[in-house]
Amino acid sequence: MPAGCLMNITARILALVTLLVCLPALAGSPRGSPTKDKDTPPFAQILSESKGWEWRKPDPENLLVMRLPSGRVVMELDPAYAPLHVANIKTLVREHYFDGLAIVRVQDDFVAQWDDPEAEDGGDRHKIRSLGSAKASLPPEFTQPIGGTRPWVRLPDGDFYAPEVGFSEDFPAARDPGANETWLVHCYGTLAVARDNPPDSGNGSALYAAIGQAPRRLDRNLTVVGRIVEGMDNLSALPRGRGPLGFYVHPKDRTLILDIRVAADLPPAQRPDMEILRTDSPTFQRLLEATRNRHDAFYVTPPGKVDICAVPAPVRDSP
Amino acid sequence: MPAGCLMNITARILALVTLLVCLPALAGSPRGSPTKDKDTPPFAQILSESKGWEWRKPDPENLLVMRLPSGRVVMELDPAYAPLHVANIKTLVREHYFDGLAIVRVQDDFVAQWDDPEAEDGGDRHKIRSLGSAKASLPPEFTQPIGGTRPWVRLPDGDFYAPEVGFSEDFPAARDPGANETWLVHCYGTLAVARDNPPDSGNGSALYAAIGQAPRRLDRNLTVVGRIVEGMDNLSALPRGRGPLGFYVHPKDRTLILDIRVAADLPPAQRPDMEILRTDSPTFQRLLEATRNRHDAFYVTPPGKVDICAVPAPVRDSP
């Protein structure tokens, strides 16, 4: 579907997700051929045919807006999967804990991580920022019991790592019915809580986003708190750190965090005004099917399956 | 295995691959705990215990060195899987086709692509560079018949997309014994040939590297010719293009390719002097097992499985 990917779309889909969801032709010259009658519709066309009720506005209480010199990163938190950590992170944000801290680590094909630089080895321990009224230690929230009323949109294709995968609202997740456990999985753009060795050593003052191939081996070993819904490339395109584990060697290489705010606390004009496609909507199911069984002038062998990290729920500016 | 990941290693492993293969602790402060007796050894320790015969020197006839303003990118070509395309690419390189061209497209979580900028829409068709004695069209090499004498190192964990996966030398690959087909798969760092809609429209004058989650849906739809073995972050950390499919809107945003050379054609002092860990070596198998069943102070729930894209074959400077 080379050329016309973004052409017929009526809503202005945010750049991040539009690019992610377009199944691109890797053409040297992306001119493309005329669409044939039996072709799988391009993603942009499927999205342009969506109905207003298929989109939901995220709760501004669950959106964090991080301002970096290069632009903003918007994170959606999921209190259903990590209530204690989400509450603690919001306390930290509301007490301006993160303002003036930095992206301290960018490890290629793995994670971008932000933290108090003084908390790293070699920092001045006397300068470590106080956590204020936030807790220093929390019980891990690696999994939750299955249950509750939030819809579960199962992905019938299966998974390599988990007995069952699907979407809980727009978050990619997994389930083990035998163990009565469910957890958010590590896909590109997943937001989670860094920690030290003890499982209860995370508190949300150090966070990371996955910037490479889905690091699924981390599932159930770290507390996932949400995902990046705007501005992902402000993290993924940062220079990689040259130290062990991708930490920056020189403080000057770090990226300053201007501030992080809960969207609900921002003046209305500054709040992200976005909508997220419901994963239980017919349109999202059409997107999955268009990835799974693609028939057009470009694809020769459709994969026949779609994996849990292949189609992030699209995000758009509110019409 | 937080802190000491790179400490005991005797060979200087190239930064790219060391970081990729280290199973990192996501610690706010990567201090780590003392190693316990029954711990899975860290990757660096496993590598430091490798023997010289477990490493092989890649053939300089199959290495391409691309110089960008930010540094070099080294690609290893695999003529066993794409003989016609590899030969055509080497013809293009030897006639200096790529010198002065550009990275024209960087699509977040997908690919970085280089090409003749004039071949894009809006370019001056009269300025399109001649392919010289290279062929303009080649039969697709999406798959090859299973067979030949090169060792196949099967990954027993299985796969989500293919009946069988494993390594052919250091290249991640798949097999369908029923169809007698084998192909190189799209992992992070995979190098492949961009094309237009007709399957035979690729010729190697436009190439891409995967820079996000493994785009396995492309397997068997594009001709994979190799992988990036050094300098991956000179591609993955480039600014993302803002146009459709991640193409740059303004020519000034493109990254200039100074030149590309076959390593064998470079003066010996300029050739990459690297070694690649054999995937049929005990050390590589130890790395897989350390990913699959990890037991240390950090991991609570080892994944129990390792996927074909999770552990790229390590690369190091020759000792």
Side-chain angles (χ1 to χ4, degrees):
Chain A
M1 53 104 235
C5 179
L6 298 190
M7 291 193 166
N8 294 326
I9 189 159
T10 51
R12 186 169 77 76
I13 307 289
L14 293 176
L16 160 71
V17 177
T18 305
L19 294 176
L20 279 173
V21 299
C22 285
L23 267 185
L26 288 156
S29 5
R31 293 178 297 276
S33 307
T35 302
K36 293 181 298 187
D37 280 353
K38 296 288 179 98
D39 276 1
T40 307
F43 267 43
Q45 184 184 328
I46 294 173
L47 286 170
S48 74
E49 294 166 5
S50 69
K51 310 296 182 197
W53 59 264
E54 295 183 299
W55 299 80
R56 72 173 178 83
K57 278 191 194 294
D59 184 346
E61 273 291 330
N62 292 336
L63 287 183
L64 298 183
V65 181
M66 174 163 68
R67 287 196 311 132
L68 302 176
S70 59
R72 75 180 185 184
V73 176
V74 182
M75 305 166 244
E76 187 187 18
L77 301 172
D78 186 352
Y81 275 83
L84 301 174
H85 285 77
V86 166
N88 216 46
I89 290 166
K90 286 166 69 174
T91 297
L92 290 163
V93 167
R94 286 188 154 132
E95 296 179 1
H96 297 188
Y97 173 81
F98 292 101
D99 303 3
L101 297 186
I103 315 283
V104 295
R105 171 192 191 191
V106 181
Q107 183 170 359
D108 196 53
D109 192 25
F110 196 46
V111 296
Q113 183 173 324
W114 49 104
D115 193 357
D116 182 349
E118 299 294 343
E120 286 184 66
D121 280 341
D124 183 341
R125 313 302 295 177
H126 299 288
K127 291 188 186 165
I128 291 179
R129 194 170 290 194
S130 161
L131 294 176
S133 53
K135 295 191 171 63
S137 177
L138 291 172
E141 295 175 300
F142 301 156
T143 66
Q144 292 288 340
I146 296 174
T149 55
R150 206 160 79 168
W152 172 250
V153 182
R154 185 163 171 267
L155 188 71
D157 307 66
D159 187 56
F160 181 74
Y161 284 102
E164 189 180 317
V165 289
F167 296 89
S168 180
E169 288 193 342
D170 50 314
F171 301 98
R175 286 182 166 197
D176 181 349
N180 189 36
E181 285 182 338
T182 181
W183 58 95
L184 298 183
V185 301
H186 281 80
C187 292
Y188 189 88
T190 286
L191 177 71
V193 173
R195 63 170 172 88
D196 216 325
N197 280 333
D200 65 353
S201 59
N203 55 42
S205 65
L207 295 166
Y208 66 90
I211 61 162
Q213 196 208 346
R216 296 286 306 278
R217 62 186 179 274
L218 303 180
D219 291 356
R220 288 183 283 182
N221 287 292
L222 290 128
T223 298
V224 176
V225 291
R227 70 176 189 127
I228 310 296
V229 290
E230 186 192 310
M232 184 63 196
D233 60 349
N234 287 315
L235 299 172
S236 60
L238 288 173
R240 276 46 178 162
R242 300 293 173 192
L245 305 179
F247 281 87
Y248 291 111
V249 175
H250 302 294
K252 69 174 174 48
D253 294 333
R254 297 171 184 147
T255 297
L256 176 70
I257 296 172
L258 300 171
D259 53 44
I260 304 185
R261 294 288 178 271
V262 179
D265 299 345
L266 290 171
Q270 290 175 31
R271 285 184 204 166
D273 188 18
M274 56 172 57
E275 294 183 339
I276 299 176
L277 187 64
R278 298 173 63 103
T279 54
D280 59 356
S281 66
T283 292
F284 187 72
Q285 294 301 318
R286 284 184 74 196
L287 294 177
L288 291 176
E289 183 58 20
T291 307
R292 187 188 287 130
N293 292 309
R294 183 147 197 86
H295 301 285
D296 62 21
F298 189 79
Y299 270 72
V300 176
T301 306
K305 296 173 106 176
V306 59
D307 70 73
I308 185 63
C309 293
V311 186
V315 179
R316 69 176 183 186
D317 284 350
S318 294
Chain B
M1 56 106 234
C5 179
L6 298 190
M7 290 194 167
N8 294 326
I9 189 160
T10 52
R12 186 169 76 77
I13 306 291
L14 293 177
L16 160 72
V17 178
T18 304
L19 295 176
L20 279 173
V21 299
C22 285
L23 268 185
L26 288 155
S29 5
R31 291 179 299 277
S33 306
T35 301
K36 292 181 299 187
D37 281 350
K38 296 289 179 98
D39 276 0
T40 308
F43 266 44
Q45 185 183 329
I46 294 173
L47 286 170
S48 75
E49 293 165 5
S50 68
K51 311 297 181 197
W53 59 265
E54 295 184 299
W55 299 79
R56 71 173 179 86
K57 278 190 193 294
D59 185 346
E61 274 290 332
N62 291 336
L63 288 184
L64 298 183
V65 180
M66 173 163 68
R67 288 195 311 133
L68 301 177
S70 59
R72 76 179 185 182
V73 176
V74 182
M75 305 167 244
E76 187 187 17
L77 301 173
D78 186 352
Y81 275 83
L84 301 175
H85 285 78
V86 166
N88 217 46
I89 290 167
K90 285 166 70 174
T91 298
L92 290 164
V93 167
R94 288 190 154 131
E95 296 180 0
H96 297 187
Y97 173 82
F98 292 101
D99 303 3
L101 297 187
I103 315 285
V104 295
R105 173 192 190 191
V106 181
Q107 183 170 357
D108 195 55
D109 192 24
F110 196 46
V111 297
Q113 183 173 324
W114 48 106
D115 193 358
D116 182 349
E118 299 294 343
E120 286 184 65
D121 280 341
D124 182 342
R125 312 304 293 178
H126 299 290
K127 291 188 188 164
I128 291 179
R129 193 170 290 194
S130 161
L131 294 176
S133 53
K135 295 191 170 63
S137 176
L138 291 172
E141 294 175 300
F142 301 156
T143 67
Q144 292 289 340
I146 296 176
T149 54
R150 205 160 80 169
W152 172 249
V153 182
R154 184 162 173 266
L155 187 71
D157 307 66
D159 186 56
F160 182 72
Y161 284 102
E164 190 179 316
V165 289
F167 297 89
S168 180
E169 288 193 342
D170 50 314
F171 301 98
R175 287 181 165 197
D176 182 348
N180 189 35
E181 285 182 338
T182 181
W183 58 95
L184 298 183
V185 301
H186 281 80
C187 292
Y188 189 88
T190 286
L191 176 71
V193 173
R195 64 170 172 88
D196 215 326
N197 281 333
D200 65 355
S201 60
N203 54 42
S205 65
L207 295 166
Y208 66 89
I211 62 161
Q213 198 209 344
R216 295 287 306 277
R217 63 186 179 274
L218 303 180
D219 291 356
R220 289 184 283 181
N221 287 291
L222 291 129
T223 298
V224 176
V225 291
R227 69 176 189 126
I228 309 297
V229 289
E230 186 192 310
M232 184 63 196
D233 61 348
N234 288 314
L235 298 172
S236 61
L238 288 173
R240 276 46 179 162
R242 299 293 175 193
L245 304 179
F247 282 88
Y248 291 111
V249 175
H250 301 295
K252 68 173 175 49
D253 294 333
R254 297 171 185 148
T255 297
L256 176 70
I257 296 172
L258 299 172
D259 53 44
I260 304 186
R261 294 288 177 271
V262 179
D265 300 345
L266 290 171
Q270 290 176 31
R271 285 185 203 165
D273 188 19
M274 56 172 57
E275 295 183 338
I276 300 177
L277 186 65
R278 298 173 63 103
T279 53
D280 58 356
S281 67
T283 293
F284 188 71
Q285 294 300 318
R286 284 184 75 196
L287 294 177
L288 291 176
E289 183 58 20
T291 308
R292 187 188 285 130
N293 292 309
R294 182 147 197 85
H295 300 285
D296 62 21
F298 189 79
Y299 271 72
V300 175
T301 306
K305 296 174 105 177
V306 58
D307 71 74
I308 185 62
C309 294
V311 186
V315 180
R316 68 177 183 185
D317 283 350
S318 294

